């Protein structure tokens, strides 16, 4: 299906043409069109243009109005105040535009991005042999939504999960497993994520205890780090066991999150080992990095410590070891030169902003990033408890992600169960919907907040049917599905000849903005703006219900037209939620 030009785009084009005719020297002038409570749209751009052309804004506005042909789309246009234009859209144009969207069941008329490229997105980065905690939630949820949005707009997306699978603690773990070879054995053929995690947890604690109490073991463990970095085959084989066991656990957590993580997309720190020496050589030979007290460093004029001295990015330590910077810079080389990305996106905690600023600047100086190949950190804030402090258990421990998700599903299932009898849900549907509502609630709470802001994790609020929650949106969707089931023989059909009530117009104009909202949200990597659009859509739907009876409409045509409006609303909610990684149950 062809994409649908939104009404605001049509009006924008007509006004821009009229502006060029009234002000031939203005070039391509932007009328600055906005939704308005005075009319359907208001154009505010004439004031700035008149100032630039030293013209009277009201007179210029009047000239523009004379150039605009009222007709198919614009029903009425008038000058208001100092030179604003108030524009009213014809009812027929609203219905016809929505009918074109409705006919395109896959994309709802959403166009593809004008210049799609290749984006590598680095998100959901757990650590091998460690439990995932609440801090891993945001990277996974935000990253997954951005992947869906970019792919939907036509971008080629390469997913990368840069897991922590390298470093000194592996010497301790590998040595312990080598001396106690059955610690990761499985009781049965089917291994659950929980069994994998408890195996790893038990082994980690035992190895740590031995490392802290036994000097000889500590020496053997440190030697193991050297063997690992040198690529000793036996050591690597034991290390691989840890990685495999951890993946069983990771996959089980991501499955709970209703999120697809594929094995080839997991390229941990270890994946760049072979590039580290060359990365250092390239940086040193080009003069981007210099030796300082034996370490290979990159210095920046504008980055200084509290003492006023420059803080360098250390690419290689004085003992020859490599830090995170060497790995991150090698990953950039791989993503730019091998994966041919022109956009690198890192969904990483805001507290790492300085590190990434230094890494990106180093890569720019080396010529790996430039005007055509850009890197961004999509920084996110902290998850807070109800008390506004970082989210911890009563004992002050970091909250395990699995526990949190299980509790969300439990709470949501209780909410679903309360209403289940009225709707006639089976036990299986209650359990399934409880999962979709619980996981949806957690994701939506995260995605409806701007990523850079901290947010409070309040499960009672998240699974509430009132307010800006995913349950409110899921419920709106299920309610429409119920109406469509009750409609019997009547079919959703657009009737452009009908006049629209104010609530129908408001709903229709908002539905028509879905395409431009999706493109804007994908381009700016801001899923919270899509969440906000969907919440507004559900709110307009509620007003529409109250004011415009659907099944008891005045005429059969009006009923069909209203069924068409709510059906398109359901499809838009379903598609929008899907792009955020949230399911919409048919009955709730």
């Amino acid at each position: 299906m062809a994409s649908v030009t939104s009404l605001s785009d049509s009006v924008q084009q007509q006004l821009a043409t009229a502006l060029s005719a009234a002000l031939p020297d203005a070039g391509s002038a932007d009328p600055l069109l906005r939704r308005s409570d005075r009319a359907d749209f208001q154009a505010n751009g004439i004031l700035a243009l008149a100032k630039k052309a030293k013209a009277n804004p009201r007179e210029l506005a009047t000239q523009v109005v004379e150039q605009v042909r009222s007709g198919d789309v614009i029903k009425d246009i008038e000058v208001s105040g100092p030179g604003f234009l108030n524009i009213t859209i014809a009812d027929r144009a609203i219905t016809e535009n929505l009918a074109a969207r409705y006919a395109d069941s896959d994309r709802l008329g959403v166009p593809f991005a004008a210049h799609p490229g290749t984006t590598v997105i680095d998100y959901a980065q757990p650590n091998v042999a460690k439990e995932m905690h609440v801090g891993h939630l945001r990277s996974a949820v935000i990253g997954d939504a951005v992947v869906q949005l970019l792919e939907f707009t036509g971008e080629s997306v390469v997913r990368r999960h840069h897991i922590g699978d390298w470093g000194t603690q592996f010497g301790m773990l590998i040595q312990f497993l080598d001396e106690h070879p059955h610690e990761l054995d499985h009781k049965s053929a089917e291994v659950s994520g929980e069994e994998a995690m408890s195996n790893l947890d038990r082994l980690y604690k035992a190895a740590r205890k031995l490392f802290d109490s036994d000097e000889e073991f500590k020496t053997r463990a440190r030697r193991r780090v050297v063997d690992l970095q040198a690529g000793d085959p036996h050591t690597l084989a034991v290390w691989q066991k840890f990685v495999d066991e951890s993946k069983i656990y990771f996959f089980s957590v991501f499955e709970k999150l209703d999120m697809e993580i594929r094995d080839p997309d997991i390229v941990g720190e270890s994946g760049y080992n072979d590039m580290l020496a060359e990365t250092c050589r390239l940086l040193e030979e080009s003069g981007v990095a210099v030796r300082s007290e034996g370490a290979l460093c990159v210095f920046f004029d504008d980055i200084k410590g509290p003492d006023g001295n420059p803080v360098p990015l250390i690419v290689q330590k004085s003992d020859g070891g490599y830090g995170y910077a060497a790995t991150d810079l090698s990953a950039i080389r791989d993503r730019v030169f091998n994966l041919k990305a022109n956009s690198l996106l890192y969904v990483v905690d805001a507290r790492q902003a300085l590190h990434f600023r230094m890494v990106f600047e180093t890569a720019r100086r080396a010529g790996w990033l430039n005007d055509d190949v850009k890197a961004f950190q999509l920084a996110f804030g902290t998850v807070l408890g109800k008390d506004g402090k970082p989210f911890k258990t009563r004992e002050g421990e970091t909250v395990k992600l699995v526990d949190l998700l299980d509790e969300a599903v439990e709470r949501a299932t209780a909410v679903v169960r309360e209403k289940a009898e009225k709707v006639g849900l089976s036990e299986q549907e209650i359990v399934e919907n409880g999962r979709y509502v619980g996981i949806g609630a957690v994701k939506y709470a995260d995605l409806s907040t701007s990523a850079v802001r901290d947010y409070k994790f309040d499960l009672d609020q998240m699974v509430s049917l009132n307010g800006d929650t995913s349950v409110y949106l899921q419920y709106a969707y299920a309610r429409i599905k119920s109406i469509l089931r009750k409609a019997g023989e009547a079919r959703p059909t657009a009737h452009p000849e009908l006049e629209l009530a104010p609530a129908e117009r408001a709903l229709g104009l908002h539905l028509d903005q879905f395409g431009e909202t999706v493109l804007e949200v994908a381009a700016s990597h801001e899923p919270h703006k899509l969440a906000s659009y969907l919440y507004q859509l559900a709110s307009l739907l509620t007003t529409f219900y109250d004011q415009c009876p659907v099944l008891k409409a005045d005429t059969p045509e009006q009923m069909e037209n209203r069924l068409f409006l709510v059906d398109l609303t359901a499809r838009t909610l379903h598609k929008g939620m899907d792009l955020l990684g949230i399911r919409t149950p048919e009955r709730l």
Side-chain angles (χ1 to χ4, degrees):
M1 286 292 297
S3 62
V4 178
T5 304
S6 69
L7 293 166
S8 62
D9 273 356
S10 298
V11 174
Q12 175 96 3
Q13 283 160 16
Q14 286 195 40
L15 290 182
T17 308
L19 266 170
S20 301
L23 261 188
D25 303 337
S28 57
D30 187 354
L32 294 180
L33 198 66
R34 302 276 176 274
R35 285 298 307 277
S36 164
D37 46 11
R38 304 273 168 90
D40 293 334
F41 293 101
Q42 189 173 62
N44 308 338
I46 287 173
L47 299 180
L49 288 165
K51 195 174 172 185
K52 209 166 149 191
K54 298 191 170 48
N56 176 317
R58 256 193 94 88
E59 281 173 20
L60 178 58
T62 309
Q63 287 171 340
V64 170
V65 169
E66 284 165 6
Q67 296 285 344
V68 173
R69 287 194 305 281
S70 295
D72 297 347
V73 175
I74 296 176
K75 179 185 173 187
D76 190 35
I77 178 165
E78 57 177 33
V79 179
S80 100
F84 300 129
L85 296 179
N86 284 342
I87 296 133
T88 305
I89 304 291
D91 286 355
R92 171 179 284 278
I94 295 175
T95 306
E96 283 176 348
N97 240 39
L98 296 182
R101 294 190 180 283
Y102 189 75
D104 179 11
S105 53
D106 285 346
R107 297 188 59 82
L108 303 177
V110 179
F112 287 100
H115 304 289
T118 299
T119 294
V120 174
I121 176 164
D122 187 324
Y123 69 108
Q125 310 102 344
N127 292 310
V128 164
K130 286 189 184 166
E131 287 208 60
M132 289 175 71
H133 56 77
V134 69
H136 291 114
L137 178 69
R138 299 209 72 184
S139 177
V141 169
I142 296 166
D144 188 57
V146 173
V147 167
Q148 306 301 332
L149 280 157
L150 286 172
E151 286 186 335
F152 186 65
T153 58
E155 186 78 1
S156 294
V157 180
V158 182
R159 309 155 189 223
R160 277 290 173 267
H161 309 294
H162 190 86
I163 61 171
D165 65 353
W166 206 247
T168 44
Q169 88 265 22
F170 282 98
M172 169 185 93
L173 293 170
I174 292 166
Q175 189 59 35
F176 187 85
L177 187 60
D178 211 26
E179 293 174 14
H180 305 81
H182 297 296
E183 284 294 312
L184 291 184
D185 288 356
H186 296 139
K187 297 186 189 74
S188 60
E190 280 293 304
V191 194
S192 71
E194 274 150 39
E195 188 195 332
M197 193 58 242
S198 68
N199 277 347
L200 290 163
D201 198 45
R202 191 183 60 244
L203 189 141
Y204 188 87
K205 283 175 179 155
R208 182 89 244 175
K209 197 173 162 190
L210 194 59
F211 187 85
D212 292 340
S213 62
D214 182 335
E215 281 305 314
E216 287 180 7
F217 176 74
K218 190 181 274 189
T219 306
R220 293 199 297 279
R222 289 197 167 132
R223 253 195 314 242
R224 260 307 157 93
V225 179
V226 179
D227 292 344
L228 178 65
Q229 289 175 339
D232 168 60
H234 173 68
T235 303
L236 280 176
V238 183
W239 167 81
Q240 190 63 49
K241 276 189 186 169
F242 278 103
V243 175
D244 293 342
E245 191 78 5
S246 298
K247 280 184 181 177
I248 295 171
Y249 162 69
F250 295 158
F251 286 130
S252 75
V253 178
F254 289 121
E255 199 176 326
K256 260 187 212 278
L257 265 171
D258 197 13
M259 200 176 279
E260 185 199 35
I261 299 281
R262 301 180 297 225
D263 198 50
D265 302 334
I266 300 177
V267 182
E269 293 167 356
S270 63
Y272 305 100
N273 285 343
D274 297 348
M275 300 175 71
L276 300 178
E278 193 183 4
T279 295
C280 291
R281 183 179 63 73
L282 291 169
L283 290 172
E284 193 170 7
E285 282 177 7
S286 61
V288 171
V290 292
R291 292 275 165 196
S292 173
E293 296 173 27
L296 186 62
C297 304
V298 183
F299 289 94
F300 309 87
D301 296 337
D302 56 343
I303 300 174
K304 294 187 169 62
D307 54 4
N309 292 331
V311 176
L313 181 71
I314 299 173
V315 187
Q316 190 178 22
K317 299 173 206 163
S318 52
D319 65 2
Y322 301 103
Y324 290 126
T327 309
D328 286 334
L329 287 161
S330 299
I332 288 177
R333 284 177 53 217
D334 177 57
R335 292 165 186 187
V336 173
F337 300 110
N338 296 338
L339 300 175
K340 304 282 185 267
N342 42 20
S343 180
L344 306 180
L345 202 53
Y346 292 78
V347 189
V348 185
D349 190 318
R351 286 171 293 197
Q352 295 190 42
L354 181 62
H355 169 76
F356 278 100
R357 203 174 114 205
M358 292 160 87
V359 166
F360 296 162
E361 177 55 30
T362 300
R364 265 193 293 275
R365 290 182 190 177
W368 306 332
L369 296 176
N370 51 44
D371 289 347
D372 299 324
V373 185
K374 292 188 168 66
F376 312 88
Q377 182 193 356
L378 183 44
F380 55 82
T382 311
V383 181
L384 308 172
K386 284 187 198 179
D387 57 1
K389 295 185 179 131
F391 199 33
K392 296 266 196 284
T393 62
R394 290 210 180 97
E395 297 74 29
E397 302 276 315
T398 309
V399 179
K400 293 177 187 174
L401 187 49
V402 172
D403 294 349
L404 190 110
L405 298 176
D406 288 346
E407 192 184 344
V409 169
E410 207 176 295
R411 295 275 186 98
T413 308
V415 171
V416 172
R417 198 175 286 285
E418 269 171 42
K419 293 195 169 293
E421 212 169 303
K422 205 167 109 190
V423 192
L425 296 181
S426 68
E427 183 60 26
Q428 189 184 344
E429 284 176 307
I430 292 172
V431 170
E432 192 170 89
N433 287 355
R435 208 171 73 233
Y436 294 157
V437 171
I439 298 302
V442 170
K443 287 184 178 182
Y444 187 83
D446 195 315
L447 292 169
S448 57
T449 309
S450 164
V452 287
R453 286 177 46 205
D454 301 343
Y455 79 97
K456 285 187 185 171
F457 197 93
D458 179 350
L459 271 177
D460 295 329
Q461 173 53 34
M462 286 179 188
V463 298
S464 160
L465 287 167
N466 305 316
D468 188 1
T469 63
S470 71
V471 195
Y472 176 64
L473 301 181
Q474 287 168 322
Y475 190 62
Y477 176 80
R479 202 167 165 192
I480 295 173
K481 286 295 182 183
S482 161
I483 289 176
L484 293 169
R485 282 194 294 272
K486 286 177 189 159
E489 293 297 299
R491 286 279 156 264
T493 311
H495 285 279
E497 73 281 2
L498 293 181
E499 268 189 37
L500 298 175
E504 291 176 299
R505 292 179 57 93
L507 181 62
L509 285 166
H510 192 67
L511 282 168
D512 191 54
Q513 286 187 299
F514 181 61
E516 55 204 48
T517 303
V518 167
L519 286 185
E520 189 185 306
V521 164
S524 63
H525 316 128
E526 293 178 302
H528 71 277
K529 289 186 174 169
L530 178 57
S532 164
Y533 169 89
L534 295 170
Y535 175 61
Q536 254 178 303
L537 181 60
S539 307
L540 288 165
L541 179 73
T542 305
T543 310
F544 167 84
Y545 275 143
D546 295 343
Q547 297 177 9
C548 305
V550 179
L551 299 177
K552 293 183 177 169
D554 295 340
T555 65
E557 291 78 16
Q558 192 183 51
M559 177 177 164
E560 289 177 347
N561 201 53
R562 285 180 178 172
L563 283 170
F564 150 72
L565 269 177
V566 294
D567 195 11
L568 180 58
T569 303
R571 290 181 185 188
T572 306
L573 280 169
H574 174 76
K575 177 52 77 182
M577 295 286 266
D578 187 45
L579 291 172
L580 294 178
I582 299 172
R583 306 244 186 179
T584 36
E586 299 286 305
R587 303 187 327 145
L588 201 54

